[in-house]
Amino acid sequence: VAARCEGAQIIVNKEMPLSKETIASLPDSVKLICEAGTGYNNIDLDACSTKGVCLSNVPTYATEAMAHMAITALMACSCSLWQQAAAFGCGDFQYLEQCHPGSLTHVELHGKTLGLVGGLGTIGKRVAAIASALGMRVVASSSRMAAIGQQGDVTVVSLDEL
């Protein structure tokens, strides 16, 4: 990696692990690492600090898409969509021939509680807003005691309490 970065001031990275050793071996010309994604858990932050390399990311990258995917999965589970789609794909049309899903699960989301593990980052906040709009109660975990309490429509608790 270091050889490819010779003379570069900025490195754009996408999910490739950048270890302490890799960062230490970067040329002194490198001043900034841009992670082309939402997180940077693949990059050794202490090594960046030691080397004097700044780090940035794109915290709102794909927020809507990820929130929609989470809510879509929740909705699909609530009405046994995958089981019905699998049956349909195999030519089993019994669920289409009746007005109810038979023995398959169907759960109304309104009034249910959604627990978000990992707190209220950009994506978590958006998932919480959509779930609230569906009439769900939202509880999120946080490892920061200062964040615990009511935050808008969301109750923030410890992971143990969640």
Side-chain angles (χ1 to χ4, degrees):
V1 173
R4 294 185 70 189
C5 298
E6 195 60 50
Q9 293 179 324
I10 300 171
I11 298 171
V12 178
N13 187 58
K14 180 63 176 154
E15 299 174 3
M16 185 176 84
L18 296 177
S19 67
K20 177 180 181 178
E21 295 77 22
T22 300
I23 292 168
S25 70
L26 292 173
D28 290 338
S29 61
V30 175
K31 302 297 179 203
L32 174 65
I33 297 173
C34 297
E35 178 60 33
T38 58
Y40 37 80
N41 57 328
N42 54 314
I43 299 171
D44 188 310
L45 302 180
D46 290 335
C48 286
S49 180
T50 299
K51 180 100 174 153
V53 175
C54 296
L55 180 61
S56 70
N57 64 340
V58 188
T60 58
Y61 171 75
T63 297
E64 289 298 319
M66 295 308 299
H68 291 174
M69 183 62 73
I71 294 294
T72 298
L74 179 66
M75 293 177 102
C77 288
S78 76
C79 67
S80 304
L81 181 63
W82 288 308
Q83 294 92 329
Q84 292 183 60
F88 185 78
C90 294
D92 179 356
F93 304 112
Q94 70 173 330
Y95 299 114
L96 296 176
E97 296 168 359
Q98 47 191 335
C99 296
H100 57 83
S103 62
L104 292 177
T105 302
H106 183 84
V107 177
E108 297 291 333
L109 295 178
H110 188 274
K112 298 295 186 278
T113 300
L114 174 64
L116 298 177
V117 176
L120 293 172
T122 305
I123 296 169
K125 284 179 186 172
R126 189 64 186 124
V127 170
I130 297 169
S132 292
L134 292 171
M136 298 185 78
R137 176 178 173 259
V138 181
V139 179
S141 70
S142 177
S143 59
R144 296 179 305 128
M145 292 306 291
I148 292 178
Q150 198 67 28
Q151 293 188 20
D153 292 337
V154 180
T155 303
V156 181
V157 298
S158 69
L159 182 58
D160 288 340
E161 187 175 341
L162 182 63

